[in-house]
């Protein structure tokens, strides 16, 4: 289990989502810095041969960002359904906004370079 990378790759987006939802500003900044570091390194290393590690890191970032988007969309849909049914359940609007704000903080042009 110590070297099971597939488990880590599966769990990482979920852990990051929790941190984005409830983390301190310092934690959010650190996650943003790490994401940008991976994306910037990936762009800088396109002409160099670093093997599959750079590709795996970049793919992990995209997987996590897809997870963030799916989570936020799911939460917004669930809130709309509850509202339509007249249910008064506490929504996690602030948490959804934090995740969306994080996604918006990643330059789209930078992401487009990786596709």
């Amino acid at each position: 289990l110590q070297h099971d990378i597939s488990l880590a790759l599966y769990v990482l987006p979920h852990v990051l989502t929790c941190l984005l939802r409830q983390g301190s500003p310092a934690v959010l900044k650190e996650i943003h810095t790490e994401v940008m570091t991976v994306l910037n390194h990936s762009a800088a290393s396109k002409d160099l041969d670093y093997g599959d590690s750079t590709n795996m890191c970049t793919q992990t970032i995209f997987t996590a960002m897809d997870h963030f988007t799916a989570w936020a969309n799911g939460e917004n849909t669930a809130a709309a359904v509850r509202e339509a049914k007249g249910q008064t359940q506490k929504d996690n609007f602030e948490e959804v906004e934090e995740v969306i704000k994080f996604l918006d903080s990643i330059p789209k042009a930078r992401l487009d370079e990786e596709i």
Side-chain angles (χ1 to χ4, degrees):
L1 191 64
Q2 182 179 7
H3 299 287
D4 190 357
I5 191 96
S6 62
L7 177 62
L9 293 175
Y10 174 78
V11 171
L12 183 64
H14 299 280
V15 171
L16 289 174
T17 302
C18 289
L19 289 171
L20 291 178
R21 291 170 53 198
Q22 300 171 349
S24 68
V27 169
L28 300 179
K29 183 177 184 206
E30 188 173 337
I31 294 170
H32 184 270
T33 300
E34 290 293 328
V35 167
M36 291 307 300
T37 299
V38 169
L39 293 175
N40 290 334
H41 178 74
S42 176
S45 66
K46 283 196 185 273
D47 295 332
L48 304 173
D49 184 19
Y50 285 108
D52 290 336
S53 64
T54 300
N55 290 335
M56 185 189 323
C57 292
T58 304
Q59 183 58 45
T60 302
I61 294 299
F62 276 92
T63 300
M65 293 187 68
D66 285 345
H67 181 80
F68 304 155
T69 301
W71 179 84
N73 289 341
E75 290 298 312
N76 283 333
T77 300
V81 168
R82 286 191 298 272
E83 184 178 327
K85 290 182 177 182
Q87 297 174 343
T88 57
Q89 182 175 345
K90 179 190 173 289
D91 291 325
N92 52 353
F93 178 76
E94 293 84 13
E95 293 177 1
V96 173
E97 287 299 311
E98 282 299 323
V99 173
I100 291 171
K101 189 166 75 172
F102 177 81
L103 287 167
D104 289 343
S105 73
I106 306 299
K108 301 304 178 235
R110 187 69 212 89
L111 294 172
D112 290 343
E113 292 174 16
E114 294 301 320
I115 297 177

